[in-house]
Structures are given as structure tokens and as C-alpha cells.
Amino acid sequence: VQLQASGGGLVQPGGSLTLSCAASGSIFSINAVGWSRQAPGKQRELISRMTSDGRINYAGSVKGRFTISRDNAKNTVYLQMNSLKPEDTAVYYCNAQVVLTTRAEYSYWGQGTQVTVSS
């Protein structure tokens, strides 16, 4: 299984970006999905998580600005980021709890996509 993250880039403060994370491989289903980020010199932090039944959590730092969603038919999770701030600058990682066709379940991470918020 591979998770391919995309959509990062350079954006001005107040701008928006949408990140995507597509899972591929021997997937039976996907349970919880999430997005984390790691800024330079800081630990990786979980910023949003969404369960298979639609329950969502956000970190306080992004609540009201970021929206997580998923397209189960495409095995893809999204992160819509609005009102971006310089402190949102980080490498963003997606994560998924994947049930394989063997019915074994594993946690997978995407490769990370850089988001830079700067004027």
C-alpha cells in the first residue's frame, strides 16, 4: 500500500490550499484517516482525524480554518486549508488505517508535502 500526498506549495498569508492523499494497493477498506504536520525544529503534531463513520477531530490551532474530508470510492482523503498563517508552514503528512485484502490492518503514512505560508 502506498499513500501519495500532493497539493502543497507556497501561498500568501490568508490564502488557501487543498491537500490530497490517495491510497493505492491491496486495499479492502480504510478506517481512520488523518493529517499531521511537522514544522522545522518541532515535533510532528496531529491536526485532524476522521473515522470511517465520519467522526472528525481538529487540533485547536486549525479548528475553523481546516476541513478534512474523504472520498471512499477513490481511497482519497483531503485537507482544505483556509486563512493560512505563517505558523502553518510545515511538512504535512497523511495517515491511514488500512484494512488489506487479507483483512490484516496496518497504519500507513504518506511521504509528506511541503506547505509554506509567506508573503
Side-chain angles (χ1 to χ4, degrees):
V1 173
Q2 288 189 329
L3 269 59
Q4 183 68 44
S6 61
L10 174 65
V11 62
Q12 292 187 341
S16 299
L17 279 176
T18 299
L19 306 182
S20 300
C21 178
S24 61
S26 301
I27 298 169
F28 175 74
S29 65
I30 298 177
N31 289 332
V33 294
W35 288 94
S36 299
R37 68 185 181 186
Q38 187 167 19
K42 295 187 177 181
Q43 290 187 331
R44 188 177 299 189
E45 62 167 337
L46 176 66
I47 57 172
S48 186
R49 184 175 183 270
M50 184 176 187
T51 64
S52 57
D53 61 357
R55 287 174 291 155
I56 296 173
N57 295 103
Y58 294 102
S61 57
V62 306
K63 196 169 186 178
R65 301 187 297 122
F66 291 11
T67 302
I68 189 172
S69 61
R70 60 194 290 173
D71 184 333
N72 292 328
K74 296 181 178 180
N75 289 331
T76 300
V77 58
Y78 304 95
L79 186 69
Q80 172 69 43
M81 305 185 294
N82 298 326
S83 302
L84 283 162
K85 305 174 182 179
E87 51 263 43
D88 294 318
T89 295
V91 178
Y92 284 70
Y93 298 91
C94 57
N95 168 256
Q97 299 295 125
V98 178
V99 179
L100 305 180
T101 52
T102 60
R103 302 303 189 267
E105 181 174 353
Y106 296 97
S107 179
Y108 294 90
W109 288 88
Q111 84 282 11
T113 185
Q114 176 71 46
V115 172
T116 302
V117 185
S118 176
S119 55

